[in-house]
Amino acid sequence: VLLALYGHYRIVRSTVKAYHLAVISDGVKAVHDDHIHTKFGILAAFHVFDSCLLVKKQSKTIPFDQITKVTIQSPGEVNKSLWCSCRNSFCLRTPYETLDVDTDGSQIPSYFTAAMDGLTEPVHFQKLVWAMK
């Protein structure tokens, strides 16, 4: 059990550190650098498997004309994408502010084109996106 917990810790830490958002002249650029990922946390506990679990860098630019909404979730709001157990109606509340960027193409309410957790100044980022648009 401890190995699985440590493996999940490494996966989460790797994923969070690998995600970046930036406002560029063309739009909002979302970059997800190389990180480890697996559904079985115990595999991530062993550094030997890192090369097998590596997810390559992904990047996408969201043009300003496609952005329809930029929402900020305050700390303590329910994060519907982090449901743990529907049977027990248990849901997680975010301990930090979350910024979500929607486009006109994203029809599913819980899906965001780009989302960033833990920004220090999400209101400033939101105002910058609308100013550039």
Side-chain angles (χ1 to χ4, degrees), residues 30-51:
V31 178
H32 209 166
D33 288 332
D34 294 348
H35 62 284
I36 57 171
H37 183 75
T38 180
K39 292 181 181 179
F40 306 104
I42 197 159
L43 291 176
F46 301 100
H47 297 277
V48 172
F49 295 117
D50 282 356
S51 61

Side-chain angles (χ1 to χ4, degrees), residues 83-90:
W83 283 94
C84 286
S85 171
C86 297
R87 186 181 72 222
N88 297 328
S89 298
F90 177 73

Side-chain angles (χ1 to χ4, degrees), residues 21-29 64 124-126 128-129 132:
L21 279 179
V23 177
I24 58 175
S25 62
D26 300 337
V28 176
K29 186 167 188 158
F64 288 119
H124 179 68
F125 189 89
Q126 181 185 33
L128 183 62
V129 167
M132 294 291 287

